[in-house]
Amino acid sequence: MRITASEFIISNTDVSNCPNERIPEYAFIGRSNVGKSSLINSICDRKNLAKTSGRPGKTQLINHFKINKSWYLVDLPGYGYARTSKTSKKAFQKLITTYFEKRKQLVSAFVLIDIRHDPQPIDLEFMEWLGTHYIPFSIIFTKADKEKPMAIKRKTETYIQKMLDHAWEEAPPHFITSSLHRTGREELLAYITKLNEEFINLDQLPSVDV
Ligand code: GDP
């Protein structure tokens, strides 16, 4: 997919104010500092569409970006920032759970994981929560330029194996990316293209009266 248009549409603290169109939507989420803004900018071919974090954990907004006038890329707030107060952690949880419960047009979430780190409970628990709520997701490993190819292979395999050993019967799709080198961008966009087509085909099925 070639990105020909990417525009910021709206920021929300309230899920009920998010755009109400029937177009496919993809949510990007991960721990603060995982490289989410950089990845979104790299996907959209823009320097500053998503702000790279000066102050991680500060704003808890749902940001909608419309891509190629045909799908939404959603930038969800980062989680797990150590200095967040209990009150804002609760607010974050409420915002995120409501988002995933309410957004019927969500096709898939993308959970970002910094490839350098060992599996962290906060990420594993979050993915388990997605699983128990039947929300499809993929993993995006970020900052691959910081590791050598052998380490990338070992770390991603270990990560997926850990998931399989614990809660999962099947490995989720996963992508290896570097925003710095634009690694994995084409694969990710090809995957979104495929899901967009499936969404459109589903939408065109005649409704059945029962
Ligand atoms: P966010 O808090 O998840 O939005 O993360 P940012 O996109 O703001 O990135 C956090 C830090 O990681 C910044 O210093 C980025 O320059 C750096 N970073 C993000 N992506 C990459 C990457 O692909 N490679 C490298 N080497 N650094 C990255």
Side-chain angles (χ1 to χ4, degrees):
M1 181 192 325
R2 218 166 69 80
I3 303 297
T4 49
S6 48
E7 43 180 334
F8 167 73
I9 302 296
I10 192 166
S11 287
N12 277 297
T13 50
D14 184 344
V15 178
S16 58
N17 293 333
C18 289
N20 203 10
E21 286 160 273
R22 281 190 63 79
I23 64 171
E25 177 160 315
Y26 302 87
F28 287 67
I29 189 164
R31 303 177 76 193
S32 301
N33 227 27
V34 69
K36 179 163 52 72
S37 310
S38 307
L39 183 74
I40 293 172
N41 288 334
S42 148
I43 290 173
C44 298
D45 247 334
R46 295 274 292 272
K47 279 215 162 62
N48 254 326
L49 190 63
K51 308 268 180 296
T52 43
S53 49
R55 295 167 73 187
K58 183 75 178 47
T59 35
Q60 301 204 323
L61 294 171
I62 300 170
N63 299 305
H64 273 76
F65 300 100
K66 203 174 206 177
I67 313 296
N68 287 359
K69 304 199 185 296
S70 60
W71 56 278
Y72 275 121
L73 186 161
V74 179
D75 180 11
L76 292 176
Y79 54 75
Y81 183 55
R83 273 159 55 195
T84 313
S85 70
K86 261 196 181 150
T87 324
S88 55
K89 267 184 199 154
K90 274 225 161 107
F92 168 83
Q93 271 176 0
K94 179 102 187 66
L95 184 68
I96 295 304
T97 51
T98 314
Y99 172 84
F100 283 111
E101 281 160 10
K102 291 262 161 75
R103 297 300 284 172
K104 301 282 177 246
Q105 52 281 77
L106 181 80
V107 175
S108 179
F110 289 104
V111 180
L112 276 61
I113 305 284
D114 188 323
I115 199 156
R116 296 169 299 169
H117 301 156
D118 290 334
Q120 304 286 313
I122 194 167
D123 296 315
L124 297 171
E125 283 160 18
F126 177 64
M127 290 188 271
E128 228 173 294
W129 184 88
L130 290 175
T132 53
H133 288 76
Y134 302 102
I135 294 155
F137 72 92
S138 300
I139 296 180
I140 296 182
F141 292 102
T142 61
K143 308 189 189 181
D145 57 278
K146 295 217 180 210
E147 295 285 359
K148 298 211 159 67
M150 280 308 286
I152 290 174
K153 188 169 183 301
R154 179 171 43 80
K155 278 170 181 277
T156 50
E157 282 174 4
T158 307
Y159 202 102
I160 299 294
Q161 193 54 50
K162 176 140 188 158
M163 290 179 77
L164 294 175
D165 289 347
H166 278 76
W168 300 91
E169 281 175 19
E170 234 181 278
H174 60 278
F175 300 88
I176 293 162
T177 66
S178 156
S179 303
L180 202 65
H181 295 166
R182 290 162 70 84
T183 314
R185 183 179 177 276
E186 289 301 320
E187 287 86 344
L188 196 55
L189 286 172
Y191 182 64
I192 291 174
T193 303
K194 181 175 83 99
L195 295 181
N196 280 346
E197 281 162 7
E198 286 171 12
F199 182 96
I200 291 162
N201 290 339
L202 257 184
D203 217 32
Q204 284 170 349
L205 285 177
S207 58
V208 181
D209 291 328
V210 283

